[in-house]
Amino acid sequence: MRRINSSQVYRLVACFVLLCAMAAAQQKPIVLRGGKLLTVSHGAIENGVLVIENGKIAAVGAASSVKIPKDARLIDVTGMTVYPGLIDSETQLGLTEISAEEMTNDFIEPSEEIMPHMHVYDAFHAESELIPVTRYNGITNAVVAPGSRDTLPGQDSFVQLVGKSSEEMLLIRDIAMPLNFSGEQRRNQGPFDRRKFPSTRMGLAAQLRQAFLDAQDYAQKWADYEKKREDYEKGKSEPSAKSEDKEKDKGKEDKDKEAKKQPPSPPKHDLKLEALLPYLQGKKMIVLAADESNDLQVAVGLAKESNLKFVLNHISHSQSVLDYVASLKVPVIVGPIYEDPKPYERYDAVYSLPAELYKRGVKIAFASYDSHNSRNLPYQAGFASAFGLPYDEALRAITLNAAEIWGVADKLGSLDVGKTANVVVANGDPLDMKTDVKQVFIEGKEIPMTTRQTRLRDQYSGQ
Amino acid sequence: MFLRFPLSDRRFAASALFSLALIAVAAAAAAQDAPSAHNEVLIKNAVVMTATHGNIQNGSVYIKDGKIAAVGKDLSAPASATVIDAGGKYLTPGIVDSHSHIALDGDVNEATNPVTPQMMMIDAFDYQDKEIYHGLAGGVTTSLLLHGSANMIGGQAIVIKHKYGLGRDAMLFPGAPRSIKFASGENPKRVYGSKDQLPSTRMGNFEVQREALVQAQDYMREWDAYDAKVKNGDKDATPPKHDLKLDALADVLRGKLLVQIHCYRADEMLTEIAMAKEFGYKLRAFHHALEAYKVADQLAAAGVGIATFSDWWGFKQEAWDAIPWNAVMAMRKGVHVAIKSDSEDFARRLNQEAAKTMRYGGATEQEALQMITLNAAWIIGVEDRVGSIDVGKDADLVIWDGYPLSSYGVPNRVFIDGDVYFDRSLPGFGMPHYKEGM
């Protein structure tokens, strides 16, 4: 366990060093001048100036108050809107290319329901054509999650949507783990004789509880072993005591001798159970997914039994228990609000869910829950605002709220000095589909605004 | 159901007669179910987006007996008219969805034979399905409910108005032309290929289609020969055997059905155009048509429209070259372009899908609006009845909260034939003509 963690840390550090080196290589500061800055954290600034230096936001403010560096490259963005790169809180980007072509899909391991040792970073395809298409609309960061057909389908990664390799793009590996409890995880397809355990919610819950117990036993086994090993090491370094207690401690001494002779043997490694431990220890976050209120309450119960730290996901048809949701004091990744209403629901039951949660003081974020269509994330936020969610909160739900939920608000989610320069320049309201994104910066670098789709467009436009 | 078809009548396709009968029934039923055959409404103080002749600020629309009787700036209505003050909100034509599979309870594909033109979607129409309401609340007033794309030649569509809460027949669009669904590409070859049947390739696909059309030609010749004999007084002439499938295809060849073809790839569109020319029938539209931008000139020359997605792509190999500029690029070449749903979800927000064409390719506001109204009505063949705010057309209208071609447009009230079928301000489902449990 310790070994795995340290290698992960090593990789993160290596990644960080690489990014620093790249950022340092960038020379001239870039100044975006004259646009309307939607800072998200401290309101909108008309006729603003934003300075990008060494991949970071070096200054942000009104034109009159910001000093422009001498050697800077000035970009006039008069009439444009400038806002932080958008964050999609759940995508399958990098896990698929063509949905119907199974060989291009790496969503889910359906062989078992408890698969915490699956890591999306092992499948994440940096060269996917979907990634430029997504960032073309101003989405710069995303949580990549496995599919939802397993109770525990594996662990998410937090990515940046540009980079030469997955090493560069995977900013945080195993950032969180989904726990899905929506009924979809049941193995109840086909006739009865073809079904397997768990084919009911009872089965799913029992199986999950057993997995958590097994992981706790496993942790205990390792703790016992560590203790034994410690004793053994201690015994080896300390010469056996020649005290008057010798007689008294005869038995103990024999044991010590035994320990000295035979080092304790470690338990067998179990990647699956090991993967659960950071979550059972509350070190990492569970993304707890349920749709209907009954499932939601069972899922929360399961999470609480094992003291899991969690955020909620979807809760699309839980309108009847929103006060209960608020009482949990956890953020909700809501939607997608395009989820069809149930026959008993009013047409706008899901559309208005973000507003209803906001009214109750719940922090929300949006997710596309998609791959090819992840580019449409901002319009979901816009549409939620048409159903009562304040505009600023809608924008926040795809920027700063998301950054806070994912623990990256010190670097992302708003236009503030010191943050990573993930910045979008567009010709209007970021939440409206008529708005054209003109330029995306990621880590201060201008991203080429070309995709497979723009190339096809140009080819057949005779350009 | 077709057992009730008068077998003594040998000449006309069962389907044709049946449809005609249905429309008659529909008219009768509508009179019973509909709120009132007569209505008189003046909607005033609206930004009227006509879809044909620009916007009218402070505009009014006068509705009489379900039709648009006047459109203009300062209309006065008789004292008998109900006056609705739109409060400066936008007013558009009702949205027309030119490709839908809602309210069919999953009976979209008779995927047991690649040629099933005798399938009638009316037989699966679940008029109580809430999906009709969901579309209505999104401003959709007319939908074309099509057979699926499993078969090279699928079944015959129905056109509905979203009068949720009324009876089945009252929801049918009276007098709408008949459409038939064809398909091509991956779906037929996947469905039958997976069973080791013909077709499992694009060669197989088109062979199956050709074979069916050739049979229909032979069938027509047999009947023509028989007719000639009868005409010449041959009393011993025996009529050929009736075949519902070939009757329907004969109607295709006679130009009695609008041919709506599910087709993604450019090369297949060209093949379909060539085959239609060879057999002498006309194509109405390619549906999905995600590669239309590659052959837009040829589509325009053939007079074939497209009913496409705004930006959906990559869900299968034949959708890999989809680009969101497709709709506008094709439109600029003179193709009739509609944005359609093909999805219960998109049917609820086609206005937003249309708005995307303003960004991708720079459609004007009116062009974008036409893609979900007038052009969609053209695809279905009801463009003289609905799809714009013009005198004489059905009073299918939407008052919007917010600007309709944006993330913020939400229908406030939806009128069909001059009556309100959805009103956002009402509690519950927001439908005056529907009560839960009825």
Side-chain angles (χ1 to χ4, degrees), chain A residues 97-101 129-130 133 136-137 338-341 343-347 351 372-373 375-376 379 382-383 385-387 391 429 431-437 452-454 456-457 460-461, chain B residues 130 133-134 137 293-294 311-317 320-325 329 344-345 348-349 352 355-356 358-360 403 405-411 422 424 426-430 436:
Chain A
E97 205 65 11
I98 298 175
S99 318
E101 298 299 322
E129 297 282 4
L130 283 65
V133 167
Y136 187 83
N137 274 14
Y338 304 133
E339 166 91 10
D340 284 340
Y344 57 83
E345 289 175 336
R346 188 177 151 98
Y347 80 103
Y351 297 153
H372 298 85
N373 305 303
R375 60 175 163 190
N376 291 331
Y379 318 139
F383 200 34
S385 83
F387 288 90
Y391 180 90
D429 172 5
L431 306 189
D432 189 16
M433 62 275 300
K434 288 193 299 301
T435 300
D436 204 17
V437 172
R452 186 170 188 280
Q453 300 190 340
T454 62
L456 280 165
R457 174 198 63 191
Y460 286 92
S461 302
Chain B
K130 282 270 167 61
Y133 155 57
H134 297 155
Y293 68 97
K294 297 181 178 178
D311 65 355
W312 221 355
W313 73 292
F315 43 92
K316 52 161 93 174
Q317 183 66 53
W320 186 234
D321 275 7
I323 63 172
W325 295 272
M329 284 170 74
E344 298 139 45
D345 173 17
R348 301 181 294 150
R349 48 193 173 95
Q352 300 180 2
K356 288 176 183 171
M358 297 170 77
R359 177 211 176 169
Y360 297 114
Y403 177 60
L405 294 165
S406 77
S407 299
Y408 312 110
V410 178
F422 173 75
R424 193 185 181 189
L426 294 178
F429 290 100
E436 193 72 342

Side-chain angles (χ1 to χ4, degrees), chain A residues 254-279:
Chain A
D254 286 350
K255 256 191 222 159
D256 285 350
K257 269 184 194 161
E258 194 72 11
K260 243 183 278 178
K261 256 186 277 165
Q262 280 192 330
S265 54
K268 264 177 87 173
H269 274 286
D270 184 321
L271 289 180
K272 182 190 280 193
L273 297 177
E274 230 160 68
L276 290 174
L277 296 183
Y279 298 93

Side-chain angles (χ1 to χ4, degrees), chain B residues 206-216 246 249 275 279:
Chain B
F206 286 123
E207 193 283 331
V208 163
Q209 186 175 331
R210 239 179 231 120
E211 178 77 30
L213 293 167
V214 166
Q215 280 177 18
L246 296 175
L249 288 176
M275 204 185 299
F279 285 89

Side-chain angles (χ1 to χ4, degrees), chain A residues 145-175:
Chain A
S148 52
R149 272 201 53 219
D150 293 342
T151 310
L152 298 177
Q155 299 183 56
D156 299 350
S157 283
F158 187 84
V159 302
Q160 153 180 294
L161 295 180
V162 75
K164 289 192 202 76
S165 66
S166 58
E167 287 284 331
E168 277 181 37
M169 298 170 78
L170 289 157
L171 297 188
I172 305 171
R173 294 163 187 247
D174 293 342
I175 189 171

